[in-house]
Amino acid sequence: EAQVTQNPRYLITVTGKKLTVTCSQNMNHEYMSWYRQDPGLGLRQIYYSMNVEVTDKGDVPEGYKVSRKEKRNFPLILESPSPNQTSLYFCASSFAPPSGTNGYTFGSGTRLTVV
Amino acid sequence: AQKITQTQPGMFVQEKEAVTLDCTYDTSDPSYGLFWYKQPSSGEMIFLIYQGSYDQQNATEGRYSLNFQKARKSANLVISASQLGDSAMYFCAMREGLQGAQKLVFGQGTRLTINP
């Protein structure tokens, strides 16, 4: 089944403890992206990658890192999480660029709470 | 300035009625794409419908149609014959340019509740 797999689905962590949210897709998509969703703000892009070893900042990259060493994987790294990073995170992928026939496929989301 | 604006934080509709969810956008790029996504309470994002800026006809997908008014920069989603399962959060999103910034910009969302 074609899908984007994020892990974990839920995570509660403490301030300052490094964490990684994994994202993997099995559709051979070039383009992958991370978004965070906050009430009243919709989804905002954190980082995106157009292909292996090509990554760039989105609208809200502060406090996050990413890497794209393999086409299928695009992990999101929080080196020192803070409470303002409590959010619902989505990984998405597509054949670039996203269009009607190449719409984004989203993962199921990761709900992160930083205390 | 907001690139995508959804002015209805919440809507309540009776089952079987049609519902229109508003979306206005702001871009100076002649080439862009508009998307609608549904997010049920389980949290996943489900792609519903797409409209390209050069498409001559309004997009339709089953009970979903997109009322695209280019001059007004609006891309409202119309759901015909609403069902209880349509209760969800709905997001409008835009991609600018053919290659562009390689991202979708999302609106704030509208929470739709269908009453039996």
Side-chain angles (χ1 to χ4, degrees):
Chain A
E1 181 190 350
Q3 59 185 0
V4 177
T5 303
Q6 284 180 239
N7 280 297
R9 289 292 308 274
Y10 302 91
L11 179 61
I12 301 175
T13 190
V14 296
T15 299
K17 185 177 181 183
K18 180 180 178 180
L19 67 92
T20 299
V21 183
T22 63
C23 174
S24 180
Q25 50 93 4
N26 62 1
M27 296 164 282
N28 204 33
H29 285 164
E30 296 92 2
Y31 182 63
M32 298 185 75
S33 182
W34 276 102
Y35 283 83
R36 60 177 289 174
Q37 180 183 353
D38 301 290
L41 297 177
L43 282 77
R44 294 176 292 167
Q45 191 183 50
I46 303 170
Y47 269 95
Y48 66 93
S49 168
M50 293 178 67
N51 215 323
V52 176
E53 302 293 1
V54 181
T55 63
D56 208 346
K57 297 177 181 178
D59 295 319
V60 288
E62 295 77 21
Y64 304 95
K65 283 175 57 176
V66 293
S67 69
R68 187 92 182 271
K69 293 185 171 55
E70 305 165 281
K71 198 170 187 179
R72 62 184 292 126
N73 295 325
F74 190 45
L76 179 70
I77 303 155
L78 285 72
E79 294 270 2
S80 182
S82 63
N84 64 12
Q85 292 178 297
T86 293
S87 187
L88 177 60
Y89 291 86
F90 285 101
C91 180
S93 72
S94 77
F95 293 114
S99 70
T101 54
N102 296 328
Y104 267 137
T105 300
F106 279 84
S108 300
T110 296
R111 187 166 293 280
L112 172 66
T113 303
V114 184
V115 298
Chain B
Q2 286 277 13
K3 289 225 177 227
I4 293 282
T5 303
Q6 295 178 252
T7 57
Q8 307 151 311
M11 284 195 69
F12 296 84
V13 172
Q14 211 63 28
E15 191 180 7
K16 298 191 177 71
E17 289 183 352
V19 57
T20 298
L21 304 182
D22 295 340
C23 173
T24 58
Y25 59 92
D26 182 25
T27 182
S28 56
D29 196 318
S31 177
Y32 53 90
L34 296 156
F35 301 75
W36 277 92
Y37 283 85
K38 173 184 179 180
Q39 186 180 45
S41 57
S42 50
E44 71 268 31
M45 296 288 285
I46 301 168
F47 167 70
L48 295 178
I49 197 166
Y50 168 81
Q51 180 86 42
S53 59
Y54 295 120
D55 293 345
Q56 295 295 314
Q57 293 188 321
N58 287 348
T60 60
E61 290 286 347
R63 293 187 299 113
Y64 304 109
S65 61
L66 203 151
N67 184 2
F68 182 47
Q69 298 189 41
K70 200 169 181 176
R72 293 186 175 185
K73 293 188 175 178
S74 76
N76 298 339
L77 177 71
V78 180
I79 306 174
S80 63
S82 57
Q83 303 170 356
L84 296 178
D86 294 332
S87 293
M89 194 77 166
Y90 288 81
F91 289 98
C92 179
M94 176 176 66
R95 170 189 54 78
E96 291 178 289
L98 287 174
Q99 298 298 326
Q102 300 296 332
K103 71 178 179 184
L104 296 185
V105 177
F106 285 81
Q108 309 93 314
T110 296
R111 184 168 297 283
L112 175 64
T113 302
I114 307 297
N115 294 316

